[in-house]
Every structure is written in structure tokens, then in C-alpha cells.
């Protein structure tokens, strides 16, 4: 059966080269210019592998993969012009199989695809639930429950809570949240994330005051549970 690949890349010339190369080898490639279009395609079609640029207009490639990682068990390859160790570690944490440094020779990409798609693998069991004390997140359905009460959260608030739960008890940096949730660099002044944290904290404490989102000054935020 022909393997179907989702290519998320904003460089149109590189997209054309990759699509032509992979099509000539019998792969079916569907491309998207930005994360919003890729997300639409992802929910409309079935894919065997995702190739994703990191730096994109609007949402980053990391943000896109973060959204699909709980419902996609296939290989994910990131492409980037420059990559730091921190970026690589985060990409692998999201479930990426490899990083490709741009400019990429389509022949090298093809060789890597043949490795990752060479043989059928046993299905991966995806963990769609995060739980700490009486707080539970269903990451697939995008629902959160506290003390068996469903929290009324916006999409942005759910993503923030998901990030805090993923690193429960550890500081999630403000810089990281701005980059991956707002798609921009924190300038030291913008209080968008502080407002989002405040609203989420209020919703949690409205049901159980033992929960708190603590500000670690100069660093970020962490989720804490302190029962009385």
C-alpha cells in the first residue's frame, strides 16, 4: 500500500523538490504551508509519516506536533535551518524520530523515509490521559476534570494546563510558553501569559483551593497541589 506523507513546509521551492522526489518513488505527499492548514488536513486524511519544518508563519512546527502527538503514532521528522540542543531535546520529547538540517538533499530525506517506513511496526499505545491527585486531563478529547467536575476551559487554557501537567512540579519557562503557545519571543513586558495563568488558576481554585499555579520569578510557572 502506498505510504501517505504529510509535509509541512513554507518554502515553496523546497516543497516542490521534496514532493517531486517522493512522488517519483511511489509515495503520496500532501503538503501544507502553515500549521493551521496542516491541522485541517490531519483531521481530514490519514497519514503514515509527518515531515515538519520548525519555523513557520503563525504557529511553529513544534506547536503543530504538540497538538497531534496524542493521536498520531507514526514517525515524525523535523526539518530546520538551525537547531540548538534544547530544540532537539524538546523535539524528541514530542516524539520526533529525527532532525534534518536544511538545506536538505531530497535524496537524503528519501533514504531516511525508507528506514522509518521499511517495515510495519506494532501499534503504539498512546497515553491520552494525564492525572495528578484529583486533576485529570483527557488529552485526546481536550477535556479536563477536577474532583470529577469538568473544567470549563478555553483551548488556550487547556494547552497551558496540559503543558504544566506534562512537567508537573517543575518550572515551565515563560520563554518556552511564548514561543510554543503564542508563536513569538517573550519581550520581558508582555503580560499575555500572566493573564492566562491567572484565569486558569482562578478556575482551578474555584473547585479545589489546594491547586495553585505558582510564579517562579524570572523563570516561569509550575503547578502545585497543597491540601490543607
Amino acid at each position: 500500500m502506498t505510504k501517505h506523507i504529510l509535509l509541512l513546509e513554507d518554502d515553496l521551492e523546497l516543497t516542490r523538490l521534496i514532493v517531486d522526489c517522493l512522488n517519483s518513488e511511489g509515495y503520496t505527499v500532501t503538503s501544507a504551508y502553515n500549521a493551521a492548514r496542516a491541522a485541517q488536513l490531519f483531521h481530514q486524511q490519514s497519514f503514515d509519516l509527518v515531515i515538519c519544518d520548525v519555523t513557520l508563519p503563525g504557529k511553529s512546527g513544534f506547536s503543530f506536533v504538540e497538538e497531534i502527538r496524542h493521536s498520531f503514532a507514526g514517525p515524525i521528522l523535523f526539518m530546520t535551518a538551525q537547531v540548538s540542543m534544547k530544540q532537539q531535546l524538546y523535539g524528541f520529547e514530542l516524539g520526533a524520530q529525527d532532525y534534518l538540517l536544511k538545506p536538505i538533499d531530497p535524496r537524503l530525506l528519501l533514504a531516511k523515509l525508507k528506514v522509518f517506513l521499511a517495515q510495519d511496526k506494532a501499534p503504539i499505545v498512546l497515553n491520552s490521559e494525564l492525572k495528578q491527585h484529583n486533576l485529570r486531563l483527557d488529552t485526546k478529547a481536550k477535556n479536563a476534570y477536577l474532583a470529577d467536575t469538568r473544567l470549563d476551559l478555553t483551548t488556550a487554557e487547556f494547552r497551558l494546563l496540559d503543558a504544566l501537567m506534562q512537567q508537573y512540579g517543575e518550572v515551565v519557562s515563560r520563554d518556552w510558553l511564548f514561543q510554543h503557545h503564542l508563536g513569538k519571543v517573550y519581550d520581558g513586558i508582555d503580560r499575555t501569559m500572566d493573564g492566562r495563568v491567572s484565569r486558569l488558576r482562578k478556575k482551578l481554585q474555584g473547585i479545589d483551593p489546594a491547586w495553585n499555579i505558582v510564579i517562579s520569578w524570572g523563570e516561569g510557572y509550575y503547578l502545585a497541589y497543597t491540601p490543607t
Side-chain angles (χ1 to χ4, degrees):
M1 182 180 295
T2 300
K3 297 296 184 180
H4 193 184
I5 296 167
L6 174 61
L7 171 62
L8 176 51
E9 170 58 60
D10 66 334
D11 184 323
L12 299 182
E13 179 60 22
L14 179 58
T15 296
R16 184 188 65 79
L17 289 173
I18 291 175
V19 170
D20 288 348
C21 177
L22 299 187
N23 282 345
S24 68
E25 293 292 327
Y27 295 104
T28 299
V29 184
T30 300
S31 63
Y33 174 78
N34 57 38
R37 177 56 178 160
Q40 184 181 42
L41 291 169
F42 181 80
H43 293 296
Q44 292 174 344
Q45 304 178 42
S46 177
F47 296 97
D48 299 294
L49 182 144
V50 172
I51 303 170
C52 185
D53 190 7
V54 173
T55 304
L56 296 162
K59 288 184 178 180
S60 70
F62 285 149
S63 294
F64 170 69
V65 171
E66 184 180 10
E67 291 178 4
I68 70 169
R69 72 184 188 278
H70 296 295
S71 56
F72 181 70
I76 297 171
L77 306 182
F78 280 118
M79 293 194 300
T80 181
Q82 53 184 346
V83 61
S84 66
M85 178 60 70
K86 185 176 181 181
Q87 281 184 315
Q88 290 186 65
L89 292 174
Y90 181 65
F92 288 126
E93 180 183 326
L94 289 178
Q97 271 62 46
D98 204 351
Y99 271 89
L100 303 173
L101 191 62
K102 297 165 66 174
I104 180 72
D105 187 319
R107 293 171 298 178
L108 176 59
L109 174 59
L110 178 61
K112 288 181 177 289
L113 293 188
K114 288 181 178 179
V115 171
F116 293 120
L117 296 174
Q119 55 186 348
D120 294 330
K121 298 180 179 180
I124 299 174
V125 177
L126 298 170
N127 183 10
S128 63
E129 182 174 284
L130 297 172
K131 186 175 181 180
Q132 293 290 344
H133 305 288
N134 60 351
L135 178 59
R136 177 172 61 88
L137 269 64
D138 183 337
T139 55
K140 186 174 183 179
K142 299 292 189 291
N143 290 323
Y145 301 88
L146 178 53
D148 295 325
T149 299
R150 184 184 176 193
L151 288 161
D152 183 16
L153 304 178
T154 64
T155 299
E157 289 167 349
F158 182 88
R159 291 188 64 211
L160 173 58
L161 184 56
D162 184 15
L164 294 170
M165 284 282 279
Q166 291 281 355
Q167 300 186 58
Y168 178 72
E170 299 179 8
V171 174
V172 180
S173 76
R174 186 183 279 107
D175 290 339
W176 184 90
L177 288 170
F178 264 78
Q179 180 180 354
H180 297 287
H181 286 211
L182 300 179
K184 59 183 180 180
V185 176
Y186 177 56
D187 61 6
I189 300 173
D190 195 325
R191 292 289 170 258
T192 301
M193 196 58 64
D194 287 343
R196 190 170 293 177
V197 165
S198 179
R199 290 188 292 273
L200 178 57
R201 182 193 294 117
K202 185 176 181 180
K203 290 182 179 182
L204 293 173
Q205 294 183 340
I207 297 175
D208 185 350
W211 283 99
N212 191 16
I213 302 176
V214 182
I215 297 176
S216 179
W217 295 108
E219 297 183 14
Y221 319 89
Y222 65 93
L223 192 60
Y225 180 71
T226 311
T228 56

